[in-house]
Amino acid sequence: MTSKLFAAAALVAASLSAHAASITAPSATFSGNVITFNEYDGLVTAGTVDLGQGVTLSATANVVLGQDAFDLGDNGLWTGFASSPDRDGHFLSTAFTAGSGVVSFTFAAPARSVGAFVNQFQNVGQTNNSMLVVAYDQHGNVLESFSVSPNTAFDGYDEGLFVGFTRAQGDIYGFGLVNGSFVVDNVTVAAVPEPASTALALVGLGVAGLAARRRRAA
């Protein structure tokens, strides 16, 4: 039975690995703990802030927690009145004076999936804005990264993209956004399943396989 469980575990790991990917979607593609920034009211920071739920923010200068309005140029406007599954109320904004900077979120425990709803300032008539999305391991090394160029309606409100990562290994300890002036809301973190839950799932898989073999034998 033990060897069968190991085989089942290998099958599950292979299946999960096939689904490890970066995320760019209209809305969140998974559920988890959500940081909304609604408890802040215009806090300007250039350091670290404990956001609760085991999440710590680190940022370069000119980051505002609890922003209620931000002009994104040709990408429209974010307001403090939004109320949707994507974003709700206040949000985080950046206005890096040098044109680039970093906002990163570190986690007390590893995450399997992490993402946030974002948008970025876009100059009128241009679509070459770009921001880098990064996942870090427990030592601050880059696990994965990709670039995204949000492009929403110039007369739109509270539009954007959900960007992030899902990894089979559950080894994400940090999540970063880099470059330009951008806005962030609903940072969503899905923790790694407890070992007991994983073991129970593997046992269930083994039982299901045994039942299938018995049906075939019959």
Side-chain angles (χ1 to χ4, degrees), residues 70-75 119-124 129 181-182:
F70 198 87
D71 183 0
L72 294 165
D74 231 20
N75 273 345
N119 205 337
Q120 185 184 34
F121 180 85
Q122 180 173 273
N123 288 317
V124 176
N129 56 296
S181 294
F182 53 84

Side-chain angles (χ1 to χ4, degrees), residues 180-215:
S181 294
F182 53 84
V183 286
V184 183
D185 204 1
N186 284 22
V187 177
T188 305
V189 184
V192 176
E194 293 293 331
S197 301
T198 304
L200 186 59
L202 291 175
V203 170
L205 184 61
V207 170
L210 180 60
R213 286 195 297 274
R214 285 179 174 173
R215 284 195 297 270

